[in-house]
Amino acid sequence: MKLNTKNTVRCSRCGSKEVFFERRYSGEFLCLKCLRRSLIRRMERAVSKYNLLERDDSIIYIHTDFPYNEVLHDMFLEMESNFPVKIKEFSYKEITKGPVRFRWEWLSDIARFSMEHVEKVVVPILLDDVIALFLRFIFSGSPEILFLRGRLFLATKAISKVVSPFIELPIDEVLSLTHTIGNLTPEQLQEIFHLDDPYLKMVWEFEQENPGMRFSFLRSIQRTDLLESIGIIF
């Protein structure tokens, strides 16, 4: 939730009076700088925890037309700036064949694209996407597209070169960094950014009712016994 405060609270990390965001699930108040820094640190932890990237990787970064595309791209470049990585960039529209019928369909074309290249392919998949895709699997019974432990799976088969370091970033926190959402209410945010997919909407509603639900769900769906039960082996 983005705030418009009058110096009534301070940033929980640096003490700044310029409080920008409240994390309901942790009770933290964050200034813009600390919010951005904390998201980059989460990206770094995800890369390390799931062994997504190496320090000298060759990388293809996929751009989308989502409203937070540039924010994610800038944070990724900052995270990788201390390493001798080589980065090429493509738009997902350059790779996708035909119209995209639902939010994540283009990932199937990215999987094909990755098999034609030696580079790692980085895609902008957020925490909300990971959970929404799993809910889609639960309700539809189709594991057509899943994103687990930072990697893409198609029909339970790992596409190991397609990765996302953004899987622990909540969509509302990333959107806040775009400076486009102002003081919108949760209901307005939902209308603008989530009605394009019923599963993302479901994730958003669960989080509003139970702050922190997204992280709890993420931990649950990454359990080895659960993944093995649906045929996914790491």
Side-chain angles (χ1 to χ4, degrees), residues 155-187:
T156 72
K157 180 181 178 181
I159 312 300
S160 59
K161 288 195 299 182
V162 180
V163 302
S164 175
F166 311 112
I167 59 166
E168 296 188 5
L169 307 191
I171 193 170
D172 48 321
E173 296 186 18
V174 174
L175 283 168
S176 290
L177 296 181
T178 69
H179 299 284
T180 62
I181 64 174
N183 295 314
L184 299 179
T185 66
E187 291 75 20

